[in-house]
């Protein structure tokens, strides 16, 4: 160490270079590390631990860093009590009760024996403490388990890696990791057994992504060929302080000779990940224990306060008010009572010194005494009960089998424990689109190359069959029956076969479909086909478009015939297009047979490769002809055959693959060919499946992509025989249709980021040696980056322009079809340019400070002047049951917004397909960047909406009141949808237009926000939540939804394919969107109803009980006497009446799950907080007062003037109120199970048993009160029984009367639903249907009217342009963009393109730039943009411009 | 209960790794699928009470009929109780004035009150003294006693203050405000039969709860009572020490004196009565008190004027349902009537409403009644 210090001092002097600042700083920090200071230090310095033996341990700077021992427990045995008590005192209620208990110790004011009065609060706190302790103990056990896992650390003494526990790992240690080992800490990778210095990771534990990630040994560090020797590691590592960013890490390593080696996250192995495919890896520990990124990311549970709790807190304040009033009455009463006596009566006992208090002082003391006496008015047990009930509710939700996803083996996870009832009060849902509404399983659907569109009809058909096949085994068999026969004349033999086989068929079908369920942990299943790592069969199999396939073959053939790879313009774009698809990505390849054996080395080309290749090519040409024939024939003869051509192609490919290995494949190929063309139809489906799975397996590649889009594109390329064979950081190998293996050198990979919205790879073509940039990205970006055509030749320019226009047209069409679009472009660089750029890039990479900005800049520099190759359309399929769920939620009165980062067209289309928007809805689109325009647009639309709304209103209200009578002739009025984009949102937020926006959205059935950033998403949620004071729910699956999830009252994460961030941030995590239906409609409703009723009941219980004491004060001179023994009072709340409400809160079901699902309308009950609101609270309070009056005065009047003593009087009162309170609960209960019955009866029995024992057990154990033998005496008195019979009856008569009235004559939906519940099964459905149909017609939702009002973009565009005349608002709103008003109406479809999608009622308020990119710049539109007019609204396409 | 997600994952991984190490297949890992049990799926067999018209009506009418019948019985039995109540707080005006001045505590004062029974009082006759406006239930009064002392134990700590000890340290026996303010009038009843005066035989004992007399109250153990209470003094308001409460009956003396025990059972209200004596049913009183003229001889010791109180003496019989208070019967009758009326009201509403509401509901009712 000493020599090192000197060394550094010297260097410091020597280099007064520009970057000494950092060095100085670093040296400073270095020096200071020893003194354990941390003066705004933002760097961490790590050196090897090895030079410091056990003796010099103290000198090691690393010892000041956290060790790897983790401790997530809050308490230790010693600190538990003080810490837990301290934490419990953060709850106001606890403080309140403790203060009251302490007050009781003051002799003048005490109401009870002070020692006893501490008991309730102690019990409550003890229960909470036990709960906390148990949770903490579980954490402790887990910690221990993790801390004691083993790993290998280099030991200097033994000169070898010795096994140690995880907790003994220290920063600066060298850890050797083996395959499949979990990484114990954040480790900087220094050595990997892989020859390229790569180490593979599975990060599923961290972010849920199952694809393997590559980590690289610190670039340029040591030679990989020699084994790494920790002893000789003398470098100093300087890196950033621990932070929780999983994707960022930077630092550098300083060698003894002062050379610096930079490294980043690519070299960091994160704790919790698993090493895969790498024999051994060695690294130095950088962060350990709680400082690791994984642990820093691990936030504890979230505490949210639910709406009911907020409501409850205000009611508690009401109770406090009530308490004060009652105490005041007591105080004043006592003062007056005391002042009445001229002389002290014998029963007014003076204090110990024989002095009496003055009436005023006595009154004041009595005030305090009364507070103690009536403290229970604030329900002490409520908080604990609510917590317990919520635990129970969470348990039940968690165990719901309907919310369990079989595929992922995941039940619902309830991460927040205290907002279950909020699920029943949701008014707004904000949903992400991708991965939430859709499956996030990308399927290649269409592509356009060179301006020519290829529709991939066969593929579409295949997907449809897939969808249907997914349904069921029965359906499957039916489908088979339906699809197969018309094609072939079945021979009796095959017929027989078929009849024999159904069982096997099912099995094989099963096996196949299992294959495309996503398999998370590999190696769990041993069947080969299930080891598809990332993509399902749907995504994998792409049926090539026959037209395109032919063209590709031709192109390849041409290229072959001409001198190899001298590309002509026409042919090359096809080849290039697919090459780009195959290369331009970060997809990793592994083979299916050996899972996770990554193919990094291209399969060695055999010596005879060339000849084989030749044969292959011949075969290829032969086959090509027949293939296309077969396709065309099958297509023409029957569509059904084509639907299976996916399989046949697959087989062909398989054959192609076999051909690499042997010569005898031709014959097989022919066989297959024959099959493909004619037999395919007759072959039963399972046979096809089998052959596919069998034949394609050996050389089947598995592609592991970071995003499913990428994989889909690679699979698409594969379908056209551009197969990605292997990928290393340096090289990528692609097999061409000819069978040739081309290995490209990857010069650079510019990864995808959301700012650039594109990614590029720079490769060197192996044959031409040209440097090619392939870029793939969002169309909006790529289109702007295309080569400036002015420089090119005129003909080429024209061609380019034409292609661009056409492609754009196709892109628009794709987007309208709901496809995700990507543009593919390329650029050829010359060597000099590239070198220049490469230097620039290297500098940027070496930069430390603003590396990100520089890298971005360099990337942007490269990605210019691109040549458009084509574009792809990928479908993101809707999840199962999404439309149904959305319809149900909508019916439940929930407004659903979709907030997505996607394009407008895609989003609108998904909205239509998932029934978020109806065909007949009027849809407004607002896209603008200017505040004034935005404002006027909002005004305009608002007016428009209001006009409609006012017409609607009267009859709506009419139906709201009398739902039974309605006339069906009433035309359903349209509902409104609003589409808005991120920019406009920004304008709204910045321009203070929120209110108008909200006013507009209030009338809209659904709102779509497209192209919105995560921040905007959360801003929208916050805006709605704050301004409208509504309950909001956000649901999303990706990292971009995290802020939105956190902003909402209830955040739901979908544990889908995009990692775990959303789940980590959520309150509940489900695996499918459709689970939301049951979660909200059933569990939400139940939880809300249960908890709301329970809370109300608790208030009632306490008030009605405490009031008994209050009434007694009027008969004891307001002296604070109690007629009930204190122990019995304590037990009353803690035990006798606590279980039934708890059970009620957990298990009650007012309506069955089936009915709740059948009648989503029932959800409105919770939405409007109908069970627990101020009015119900007040009514309950009044009822409590009434009941307590009865419970007190009936016994009072009965025992009046008798020789009854205090406790003998209190005993029947206590008993009566117990019975009343329990019977009240019984009235509230809608479901009686055995549990309910047992607890009810148990409570009463327990009360009597306890009272009997307590009253008999001790004579003097509880001075000064002494209820000895009171219960026994009472039980022998008939009056007691007569009282116990009549009083609850009188007390509950009014409530029962109202219940009876409601039960027999009430028309509330809940009651009807309850009645329906009682009906037999068949009738139930019938009744539900009846109710629903009635509701639907009243709510004005159109039943069905599939009139298509298709209006294509082109049409609106043209009309918009042509109608640009009058513009009264021209001067006021000089703004870029013009606007359309096309009204849904009874107009004929004016669309030229019939499949243009359901853009029927679509108000387009779009700036032209977006909709008409094909036009010459924005000039024309700019002119038009200056006009604005309000069109006539009865025209279907009333296009108005300004 | 709660486990953060990534930690769960960590554990999962651990188990996975573990499985791999010991060579078991992943299938051994239990599925996370929840049990399909009735409880967890909230499908327990349950009874769902439904307030149908039939149930409601039968409920109301049954309750009404039951309450009415019980109520009529109760009122009838309460009416059979004979009771005479005489306020004597002002009848002996001299005495009440005398007692206003506490310095006259040891002066005796007697008065007699005549009354006439128009008809016989048959059965057991109980004699009560009644106090009005005496707040025995005052909080500080109620706790001012020591049950331990009354059990014959030595007491260290009590709530008796300031009636625990005298200034000189002599403890009071019994201590506390309740004992101190014990009702100490003596009342005797005389029957004037043909100008001869016969004392009505009254039972002093058996008026308190058996458990009080035998368990809750015990004299300190000693060879005789006076020695047992040696070293203690009477409470300040008392005229004689506790061991002289009943000199005639050893078992009714000291703490176990019935009058004392009855007093110590503090009353629930400010107006109350305590059982004082029972008529011993012998000789001409075998059937109760015959009609005729009677005289109460009262030794007036207990002052009530200073708290505006009143004193009564009450002769009453008892029935199974208690005393003469008819309230419970009335309550039954009233609530029974109310329930019945409500039943009728509901019936009327039902019949009227039935014509208006659609057949929908009729169906339900039919189905319900079929069930």
């Amino acid at each position: 160490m000493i020599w090192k210090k000197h060394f550094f001092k010297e260097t410091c002097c020597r280099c007064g270079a520009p970057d000494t600042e950092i060095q100085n700083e670093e040296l400073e920090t270095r020096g200071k590390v020893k003194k354990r200071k941390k003066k705004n230090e933002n760097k961490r310095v790590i050196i090897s631990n090895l030079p410091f033996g056990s003796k010099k341990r103290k000198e090691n700077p690393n010892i000041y860093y956290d060790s790897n021992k983790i401790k997530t427990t809050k308490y230790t045995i010693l600190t538990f009590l003080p810490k837990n008590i301290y934490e419990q005192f953060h709850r106001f209620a606890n403080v309140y009760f403790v203060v009251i208990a302490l007050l009781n110790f003051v002799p003048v004011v005490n109401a009870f024996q002070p020692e006893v009065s501490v008991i309730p609060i102690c019990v409550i706190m003890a229960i909470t403490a036990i709960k906390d302790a148990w949770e903490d103990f579980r954490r402790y056990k887990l910690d221990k388990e993790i801390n004691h896992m083993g790993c290998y650390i280099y030991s200097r003494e033994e000169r070898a890696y010795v096994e140690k526990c995880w907790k003994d790992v220290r920063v600066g240690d060298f850890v050797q990791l083996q395959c499949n080992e979990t990484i114990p800490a954040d480790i900087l990778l220094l050595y990997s057994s892989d020859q390229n210095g790569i180490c593979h990771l599975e990060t599923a534990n961290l972010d849920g992504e199952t694809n393997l990630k590559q980590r690289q040994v610190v670039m340029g560090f040591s030679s990989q060929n020699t084994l790494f020797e920790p002893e000789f590691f003398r470098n100093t590592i300087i890196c950033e302080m621990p932070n929780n960013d999983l994707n960022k890490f930077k630092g550098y390593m300083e060698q003894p000779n002062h050379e610096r080696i930079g490294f980043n996250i690519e070299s960091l192995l994160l704790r919790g990940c698993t090493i895969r495919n790498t024999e051994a890896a060695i690294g130095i520990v950088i962060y350990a224990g709680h400082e690791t990124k994984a642990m820093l990311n691990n936030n504890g549970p979230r505490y949210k306060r639910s709406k009911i709790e907020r409501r409850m807190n205000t009611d508690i304040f009401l109770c406090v008010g009530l308490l004060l009033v009652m105490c005041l009455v007591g105080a004043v009463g006592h003062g007056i009572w005391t002042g009445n006596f001229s002389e002290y009566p014998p029963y007014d006992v003076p204090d110990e010194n024989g002095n009496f208090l003055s009436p005023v002082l006595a009154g004041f003391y009595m005030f305090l005494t009364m507070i103690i006496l009536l403290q229970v008015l604030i329900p002490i047990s409520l908080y604990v009960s609510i917590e317990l009930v919520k635990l129970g509710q969470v348990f039940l939700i968690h165990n719901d089998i309907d919310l369990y996803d079989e595929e992922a083996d995941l039940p619902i996870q309830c991460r927040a424990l205290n907002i279950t009832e909020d699920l029943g009060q949701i008014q707004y849902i904000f949903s992400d689109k991708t991965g939430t509404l859709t499956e996030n399983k990308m399927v290649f659907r269409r592509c356009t190359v060179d301006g020519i569109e290829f529709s991939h009809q066969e593929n579409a058909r295949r997907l449809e069959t897939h969808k249907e096949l997914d349904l069921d085994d029965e359906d499957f068999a039916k489908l088979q029956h339906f699809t197969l026969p018309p094609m072939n004349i079945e021979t009796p033999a095959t017929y027989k076969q078929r009849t024999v086989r159904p069982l096997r068929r099912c099995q094989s079908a099963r096996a196949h479909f299992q294959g495309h369920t996503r398999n998370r942990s590999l190696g769990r299943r041993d069947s080969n086909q299930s080891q598809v790592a990332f993509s399902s069969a749907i995504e994998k199999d792409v049926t090539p478009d026959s037209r395109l396939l032919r063209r590709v073959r031709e192109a390849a053939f041409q290229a072959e015939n001409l001198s190899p790879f001298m590309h002509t313009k026409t042919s090359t774009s096809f080849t290039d297009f697919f090459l780009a698809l195959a290369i331009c990505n970060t997809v990793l390849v592994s083979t299916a047979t050996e899972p996770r054996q990554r193919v990094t080395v291209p399969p060695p080309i055999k010596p005879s490769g060339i000849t084989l290749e030749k044969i292959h090519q011949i075969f290829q040409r032969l086959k090509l002809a027949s293939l296309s024939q077969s396709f065309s024939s099958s297509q023409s003869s029957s569509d059904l055959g084509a639907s299976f051509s996916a399989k046949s192609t697959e087989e062909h490919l398989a054959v192609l693959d076999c051909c690499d290995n042997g010569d005898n494949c031709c014959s097989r190929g022919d066989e297959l060919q024959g099959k493909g063309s004619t037999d395919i139809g007759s072959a039963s489906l399972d046979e096809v499946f089998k052959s596919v799975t069998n034949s394609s397996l050996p050389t089947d590649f598995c592609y592991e992509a970071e995003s499913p889009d990428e994989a889909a594109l690679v699979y698409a390329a594969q379908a056209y025989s551009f197969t990605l064979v292997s990928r290393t950081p340096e090289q990528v190998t692609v097999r061409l249709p000819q069978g040739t293996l081309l290995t490209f050198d990857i010069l650079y990979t510019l990864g995808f980021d959301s700012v650039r919205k594109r990614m590029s790879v720079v490769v060197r073509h192996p044959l031409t040696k040209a440097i090619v940039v392939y870029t793939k990205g969002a169309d909006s970006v790529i289109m702007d980056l295309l080569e400036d055509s002015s420089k090119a030749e005129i003909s080429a320019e024209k061609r380019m322009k034409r292609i661009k226009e056409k492609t754009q047209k196709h892109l628009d069409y794709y987007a309208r079809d709901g496809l995700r679009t990507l543009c593919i472009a390329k650029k050829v660089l010359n060597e000099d340019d590239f070198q220049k750029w490469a230097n620039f890039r290297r500098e940027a990479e070496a930069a430390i400070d603003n590396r990100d900005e520089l890298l971005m800049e360099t990337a942007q520099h490269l990605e210019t002047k691109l040549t458009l190759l084509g574009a792809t359309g990928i479908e993101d399929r809707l999840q199962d049951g999404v439309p149904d769920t959305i319809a149900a939620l909508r019916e439940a009165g929930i407004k659903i917004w979709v907030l997505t980062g996607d394009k407008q067209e895609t989003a609108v289309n998904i909205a239509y397909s998932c029934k978020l928007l109806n065909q007949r809805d009027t849809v407004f689109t607002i896209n603008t960047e200017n505040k004034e325009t935005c404002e006027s647009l909002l005004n305009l639309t608002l007016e428009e909406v209001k006009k409609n709304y006012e017409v609607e209103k009267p009859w709506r209200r009419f139906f709201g009141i009398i739902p039974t009578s309605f006339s069906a002739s009433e035309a359903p009025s349209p509902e409104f949808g609003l589409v808005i984009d991120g920019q406009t949102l920004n304008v709204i937020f910045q321009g203070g237009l929120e209110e108008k926006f909200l006013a507009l959205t209030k009338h809209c059935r659904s709102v779509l926000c497209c192209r919105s950033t995560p921040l905007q998403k959360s801003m929208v949620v916050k805006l709605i939540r704050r301004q409208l004071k509504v309950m909001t729910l956000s649901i999303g699956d990706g990292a971009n939804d995290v802020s939105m999830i956190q902003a909402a009252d209830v955040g739901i994460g979908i544990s889908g394919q995009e990692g775990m961030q959303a789940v980590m941030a959520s309150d509940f995590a489900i695996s499918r969107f459709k689970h939301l239906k049951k979660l909200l409609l059933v569990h939400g409703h139940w939880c809300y109803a249960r908890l709301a009723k329970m809370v109300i009941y608790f208030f009632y219980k306490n008030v009605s009980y405490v009031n008994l004491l209050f009434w007694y004060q009027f008969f004891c001179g307001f002296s604070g006497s109690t007629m009930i023994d204190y122990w019995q009072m304590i037990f009353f709340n803690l035990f006798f009446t606590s279980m039934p409400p708890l059970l009620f809160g957990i298990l009650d079901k007012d309506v069955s799950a089936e009915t709740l699902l059948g009648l989503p309308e029932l959800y409105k009950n919770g939405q409007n907080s109908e069970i627990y609101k101020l009015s119900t609270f007040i009514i309950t309070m009044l009822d409590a007062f009434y009941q307590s009056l009865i419970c007190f005065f009936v016994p009072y009047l009965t025992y009046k003037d008798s020789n009854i003593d205090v406790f003998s009087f209190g005993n029947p009162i206590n008993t009566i109120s117990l019975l009343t309170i329990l019977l009240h609960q019984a009235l509230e209960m809608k479901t009686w199970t055995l549990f309910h019955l047992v607890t009810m009866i148990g409570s009463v029995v327990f009360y009597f048993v306890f009272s009997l024992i307590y009253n008999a057990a001790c004579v003097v154990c509880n001075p000064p009160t002494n209820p000895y033998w009171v219960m026994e005496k009472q039980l022998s008195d008939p009056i007691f029984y007569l009282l116990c019979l009549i009083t609850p009856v009188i007390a509950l008569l009014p409530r029962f009367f109202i219940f009876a009235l409601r039960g027999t004559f009430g028309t509330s939906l809940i009651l009807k639903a309850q009645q329906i519940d009682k009906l037999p099964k068949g009738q139930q459905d019938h009744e539900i249907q009846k109710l629903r149909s009635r509701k639907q017609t009243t709510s004005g939702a159109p039943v069905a009217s599939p009139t298509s009002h298709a209006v294509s973009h082109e049409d609106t565009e043209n009309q918009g342009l042509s109608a640009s005349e009058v513009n009264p608002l021209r001067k006021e709103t000089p703004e870029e963009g013009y606007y359309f008003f096309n009204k849904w109406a009874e107009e004929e479809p004016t669309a030229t393109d019939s499949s243009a999608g359901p853009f029927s009622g679509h108000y387009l308020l779009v700036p032209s730039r977006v909709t008409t990119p094909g036009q010459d710049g924005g000039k024309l539109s700019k002119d038009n943009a200056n006009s604005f007019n309000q069109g006539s609204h009865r025209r279907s396409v009333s296009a108005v411009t300004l | 209960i709660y486990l953060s997600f990534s930690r769960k994952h960590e554990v999962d991984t651990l188990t996975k790794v573990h499985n791999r190490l010991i060579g078991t297949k992943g299938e051994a890992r239990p599925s996370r699928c929840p049990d399909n049990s009735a409880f967890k799926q909230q499908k327990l067999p349950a009874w769902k009470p439904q307030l149908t018209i039939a149930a409601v009506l039968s409920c109301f009418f049954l309750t009404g009929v039951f309450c009415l019948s019980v109520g009529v019985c109760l009122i009838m039995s309460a009416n059979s109780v004979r009771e005479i109540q005489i306020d004597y707080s002002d009848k002996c005006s001299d005495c009440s004035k005398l007692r206003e001045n506490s310095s006259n505590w040891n002066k005796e004062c007697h008065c007699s009150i005549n009354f006439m029974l128009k008809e016989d009082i048959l059965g057991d006759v109980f004699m009560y003294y009644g106090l009005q406006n005496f707040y025995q239930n005052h909080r500080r009064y109620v706790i001012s006693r020591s049950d331990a002392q009354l059990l014959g134990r030595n007491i260290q700590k009590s709530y008796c203050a300031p009636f625990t000890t005298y200034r000189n340290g002599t403890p009071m026996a019994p201590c506390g405000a309740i004992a101190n303010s014990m009702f100490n009038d003596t009342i005797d009843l005389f029957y004037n039969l043909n100008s001869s005066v016969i004392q009505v035989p009254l039972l002093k004992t058996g008026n308190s709860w058996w458990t009080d007399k035998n368990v809750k109250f015990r004299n300190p153990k000693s060879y005789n009572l006076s020695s047992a209470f040696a070293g203690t003094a009477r409470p300040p308001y008392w005229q004689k020490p506790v061991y002289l409460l009943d000199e005639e009956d050893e078992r009714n003396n000291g703490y176990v004196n019935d009058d004392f025990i009855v007093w110590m059972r503090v009353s629930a209200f400010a107006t109350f009565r305590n059982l004082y004596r029972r008529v011993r049913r012998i000789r001409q009183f075998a059937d109760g008190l015959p009609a005729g003229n009677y005289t109460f001889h009262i030794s007036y010791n207990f002052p009530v004027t200073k708290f505006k109180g009143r004193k009564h003496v009450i002769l009453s019989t008892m029935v199974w349902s208690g005393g003469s208070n008819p309230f419970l019967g009335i309550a039954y009758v009233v609530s029974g009537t109310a329930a019945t009326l409500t039943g009728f009201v509901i019936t009327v509403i039902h019949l009227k409403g039935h014509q208006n509401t659609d057949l929908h509901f009729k169906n339900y009712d039919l189905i319900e009644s079929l069930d």
Side-chain angles (χ1 to χ4, degrees), chain A residues 110 149 524 1090 1121 1282, chain B residues 5 14 27 42 137 139 332:
Chain A
N110 71 342
M149 280 169 66
R524 218 169 65 192
R1090 288 164 178 174
S1121 267
L1282 288 171
Chain B
F5 191 80
L14 289 178
E27 282 108 72
Q42 308 194 44
N137 54 12
R139 182 172 58 86
Y332 265 92

Side-chain angles (χ1 to χ4, degrees), chain A residues 72 110 134-135 138-139 142-143 146 149 180 182 205 271 276 298 301 337 340 343 345-352 395-396 399-401 404 409-411 413 415 524 526 1060 1083 1086 1090 1112 1115-1117 1119-1121 1149 1194 1196-1206 1208-1209 1230-1233 1235 1259-1260 1264 1266 1268-1269 1273 1278-1279 1282-1283 1285-1286 1290 1296-1297 1299-1300 1303-1305 1314-1319 1323 1327 1330, chain B residues 1-7 9-11 13-14 16-17 20 25-27 29 31-34 36 39-53 56 59-60 63 66-67 70 74 128 133-135 137-143 147-148 151 153 159 161-163 177 181 209 211 215-216 265-274 306-308 320-322 325 327-328 332 335 342 346 349-350 360-361 364 367-368:
Chain A
T72 51
N110 71 342
W134 182 61
E135 278 177 16
R138 284 181 57 137
R139 279 195 286 261
L142 254 173
D143 284 349
I146 289 166
M149 280 169 66
N180 296 337
T182 310
N205 292 334
R271 179 192 169 108
R276 298 269 191 241
N298 187 0
W337 182 82
N340 257 346
E343 210 179 321
Y347 45 80
D348 193 0
V349 184
D351 65 16
E352 282 178 43
F395 172 81
L396 287 175
N399 275 298
D400 190 340
I401 204 159
Y404 168 76
D409 189 29
L410 270 182
Q413 301 162 40
R415 293 171 41 82
R524 218 169 65 192
D526 29 18
M1060 282 291 149
H1083 288 294
W1086 280 347
R1090 288 164 178 174
Y1112 190 57
F1115 301 94
C1116 68
S1119 61
S1121 267
K1149 280 199 290 187
V1194 170
Y1196 168 74
L1197 291 170
T1198 309
Y1199 287 120
K1200 198 169 171 277
D1201 285 340
S1202 71
N1203 58 346
I1204 193 87
D1205 69 286
V1206 175
S1208 298
F1209 173 63
K1230 299 286 182 281
T1231 315
W1232 283 81
T1233 64
F1235 287 109
V1259 186
V1260 285
N1266 192 339
Y1268 181 68
W1269 215 251
K1273 197 80 179 168
I1279 296 184
L1282 288 171
L1283 266 178
L1285 267 181
I1286 193 68
I1290 303 175
F1296 184 68
F1297 176 62
F1299 272 33
T1304 45
F1305 310 111
Q1314 283 168 2
Q1315 285 166 342
I1316 287 173
D1317 267 353
K1318 278 235 144 184
L1319 298 176
Q1323 223 164 341
E1327 289 296 333
K1330 222 156 125 188
Chain B
I1 295 253
Y2 177 77
L3 268 178
S4 85
F5 191 80
S6 74
R7 287 172 57 74
H9 256 264
E10 209 160 341
V11 175
T13 330
L14 289 178
K16 260 188 249 166
V17 169
R20 228 169 263 158
K25 282 259 154 69
E27 282 108 72
R29 205 169 69 96
S31 155
R32 276 178 279 193
C33 180
N36 196 1
F39 174 69
K40 284 187 178 174
Q41 301 310 319
Q42 308 194 44
K43 280 176 181 156
L44 288 171
W47 173 60
K48 295 188 169 190
Q50 194 107 51
L51 292 169
T52 58
I53 190 75
V56 165
C59 195
F60 274 110
T63 315
F66 173 77
C67 286
V70 171
L74 281 173
Y128 298 88
N133 216 13
F134 190 93
Y135 282 83
N137 54 12
H138 191 284
R139 182 172 58 86
R140 288 204 301 281
Y141 183 83
V142 171
I143 63 171
D147 283 317
L151 258 179
R153 297 177 187 167
Y159 292 84
F163 302 104
S181 63
W209 294 13
T211 48
V215 182
K216 207 171 158 185
R265 184 160 285 279
V266 287
S267 180
F269 309 113
T271 302
F272 62 92
R273 59 177 66 168
N274 274 341
K306 59 178 172 182
F307 55 88
K308 296 176 190 130
W320 63 275
S321 62
N325 191 341
F327 174 77
L328 203 56
Y332 265 92
S335 51
T342 318
I346 291 177
I349 297 175
H350 181 67
H360 208 68
F361 291 103
Y364 285 132
I367 289 151
E368 287 309 322

Side-chain angles (χ1 to χ4, degrees), chain B residues 149-204:
Chain B
Q149 188 191 37
L150 298 177
L151 258 179
R153 297 177 187 167
N154 285 321
I155 49 162
Q156 272 80 47
K157 179 177 172 281
S158 75
Y159 292 84
C160 290
F163 302 104
T164 321
T165 54
Y166 284 99
R167 292 235 167 86
N168 59 15
T170 321
M172 297 181 196
C175 76
I178 307 177
N180 184 39
S181 63
M182 183 183 155
F183 182 80
N184 51 4
D185 287 0
T186 46
I187 306 166
D188 290 312
L189 182 59
F190 291 92
Y191 179 41
N192 307 325
L193 182 67
N194 308 328
S195 76
S196 67
V197 176
I198 307 164
Q199 185 165 17
V200 179
L202 297 173
L203 289 168
K204 278 196 222 170

Side-chain angles (χ1 to χ4, degrees), chain B residues 248-262:
Chain B
E248 297 151 23
D249 187 354
E250 179 73 13
R251 282 178 302 151
N252 195 27
N253 206 354
Y255 292 149
V256 290
N257 177 267
D258 260 36
D259 290 340
F260 177 67
I261 292 173
V262 166

